[in-house]
Amino acid sequence: MQSRGSSHRLSSMGNRSRIPALLISMFATFASIYVAGRLWQDAENRVYLIKELDRITGQGQSAISVDDTLKIIACREQHKKLDALETELSAARQEGFVSKPLIETNGTYSRRRPLVVIGILTKFGRQKNRDAIRKAWMGSGSSLKKIEDGKGIIVRFVIGRSENRGDNLDKDIDRENRLTNDFIILDNHVETNDAFPKKAKLFFAYAADKWDAEFYAKVNDDVYVNIDALGSTLAAHLDKPRVYLGCMKSGEVFSELNHKWYEPEWWKFGDKKSYFRHASGEMYVISRALAKFISINRSILRTYAHDDVSAGSWFIGLDVKHVDEAKFCCSSWSTGAICAGV
């Protein structure tokens, strides 16, 4: 009985040992077939390249190596892409201020980079302001899409969520957005009276992550914008990688607690009487590099009592070109102005 049990165990062990060996053998066979196939494909490609070179040069025997041939083909592809880029650049100049610098990797079509993404910072209970803006300069539906496609200008209202999430305030915005589809809703931002600077920061971060535009603009929801004037002005600054445009000012720092423009951190601002130079908050524009900077550093960028002062503080220590453009002074109502406050 013991002998039979021993024989049975030995037989089972033998069967188990043969199974892994069989699997290894099958794997080695498949691997050999795969490698041989790749080598054969590579050989076929090389033969094809040699024949093509012989056909083009008219020689009976290839004058240069296959590696050199591959380099020649790569150079020709690069020349094709350069020609396509020159064609796109020429078309962009003729069309106006829409930038088209990007060519897809297959070289078959171009991808348009928007000129500017405009965020109109709005609040709950301001639908009349939004409707007036849609009617006056922003457009809606097909007209909004036409501005995006024709001028490369994307416009959206920007709002956060209610402190009582899911209440009627949130529902009203969701309902309006279903009809107009022209909102950026910042789900991680709570709408409060003192949270406007944070909302501006989150808008720039969100827009930079979603759209690869040349510029990003912040606008209040009581400001009217001249789209064509904005486009032509920004086109003149496409050569500046880090630019901050607006109606530059300093402004007084108010340390009185009950003042409308009270600054809780008034003691940080030098003589405690005036802010550093920054663009007026009604409307200002930053270039793509600065928007990316805000996006990357959003968690550590300090905000103050006002969004325009906050934005100005983010760029103080950077190599940024400040452009004081009178056309961005929305309260002046000057001829050729880009914006006008109401």
Side-chain angles (χ1 to χ4, degrees):
M1 293 292 292
Q2 183 177 3
S3 174
R4 288 182 181 178
S6 300
S7 300
H8 180 70
R9 285 194 299 273
L10 289 172
S11 176
S12 299
M13 291 174 63
N15 289 335
R16 285 197 298 268
S17 64
R18 282 196 296 270
I19 290 173
L22 180 61
L23 291 174
I24 293 173
S25 177
M26 290 175 63
F27 177 80
T29 302
F30 287 139
S32 299
I33 293 172
Y34 174 77
V35 172
R38 292 300 300 271
L39 291 174
W40 175 257
Q41 185 180 15
D42 183 63
E44 283 187 323
N45 290 338
R46 288 176 177 267
V47 170
Y48 172 77
L49 290 172
I50 292 171
K51 288 181 178 179
E52 282 298 296
L53 184 63
D54 290 342
R55 182 181 62 81
I56 294 171
T57 60
Q59 296 179 2
Q61 185 177 1
S62 180
I64 59 176
S65 68
V66 174
D67 289 336
D68 289 337
T69 304
L70 293 172
K71 292 178 182 178
I72 291 173
I73 293 173
C75 288
R76 288 172 179 167
E77 290 299 321
Q78 292 300 321
H79 279 300
K80 290 179 182 178
K81 291 181 180 180
L82 287 173
D83 290 341
L85 282 170
E86 290 175 355
T87 302
E88 292 292 332
L89 180 59
S90 176
R93 287 171 176 166
Q94 291 177 358
E95 291 178 8
F97 49 79
V98 174
S99 175
K100 302 179 183 178
L102 300 182
I103 301 296
E104 296 297 325
T105 54
N106 60 14
T108 58
Y109 66 99
S110 65
R111 178 166 70 86
R112 176 177 297 182
R113 172 178 288 160
L115 178 68
V116 59
V117 178
I118 302 175
I120 307 171
L121 272 60
T122 189
K123 299 178 182 179
F124 295 124
R126 308 265 294 185
Q127 184 173 353
K128 289 184 178 180
N129 287 54
R130 294 190 290 271
D131 287 341
I133 286 175
R134 291 183 182 109
K135 186 176 294 185
W137 63 270
M138 175 181 170
S140 60
S142 59
S143 59
L144 178 63
K145 189 70 165 59
K146 185 177 180 181
I147 293 175
E148 292 182 15
D149 295 340
K151 300 180 183 296
I153 297 177
I154 298 170
V155 190
R156 296 290 187 272
F157 292 106
V158 182
I159 197 166
R161 287 300 188 182
S162 170
E163 291 182 283
N164 302 312
R165 197 175 185 89
D167 63 7
N168 288 333
L169 295 175
D170 281 347
K171 290 177 181 178
D172 288 344
I173 292 297
D174 290 336
R175 188 181 304 110
E176 184 179 345
N177 190 37
R178 284 194 295 270
L179 294 173
T180 60
N181 193 31
D182 56 8
F183 276 87
I184 293 173
I185 299 177
L186 302 171
D187 286 320
N188 60 341
H189 175 71
V190 176
E191 287 287 330
T192 59
N193 291 331
D194 58 351
F196 211 66
K198 182 182 178 183
K199 183 161 71 173
K201 179 175 67 171
L202 292 178
F203 156 66
F204 285 122
Y206 177 94
D209 292 343
K210 183 174 178 61
W211 293 286
D212 183 34
E214 300 287 358
F215 299 98
Y216 301 82
K218 177 263 172 180
V219 181
N220 288 343
D221 68 355
D222 56 357
V223 170
Y224 287 67
V225 177
N226 183 330
I227 290 290
D228 291 330
L230 175 64
S232 59
T233 298
L234 294 182
H237 297 284
L238 286 170
D239 60 333
K240 302 178 181 66
R242 295 174 302 279
V243 64
Y244 172 37
L245 302 101
C247 180
M248 296 294 169
K249 63 175 187 176
S250 291
E252 184 177 354
V253 178
F254 295 97
S255 58
E256 296 80 17
L257 182 62
N258 296 324
H259 196 281
K260 179 181 178 180
W261 306 115
Y262 169 63
E263 173 58 70
E265 300 190 68
W266 53 267
W267 56 273
K268 286 186 177 181
F269 298 96
D271 59 7
K272 306 175 186 178
K273 295 181 180 179
S274 59
Y275 289 109
F276 42 77
R277 207 71 169 159
H278 62 276
S280 176
E282 292 174 303
M283 181 178 186
Y284 53 90
V285 181
I286 62 175
S287 59
R288 182 171 68 257
L290 299 185
K292 294 290 186 184
F293 170 80
I294 294 173
S295 174
I296 293 169
N297 298 283
R298 71 187 79 177
S299 62
I300 60 173
L301 288 176
R302 187 84 170 99
T303 56
Y304 295 98
H306 314 295
D307 72 276
D308 52 359
V309 173
S310 299
S313 73
W314 303 333
F315 310 138
I316 284 181
L318 305 180
D319 183 15
V320 174
K321 176 68 174 177
H322 288 60
V323 177
D324 184 10
E325 176 57 74
K327 294 179 181 179
F328 284 102
C329 297
C330 304
S331 58
S332 65
W333 292 84
S334 60
T335 303
I338 290 172
C339 57
V342 294

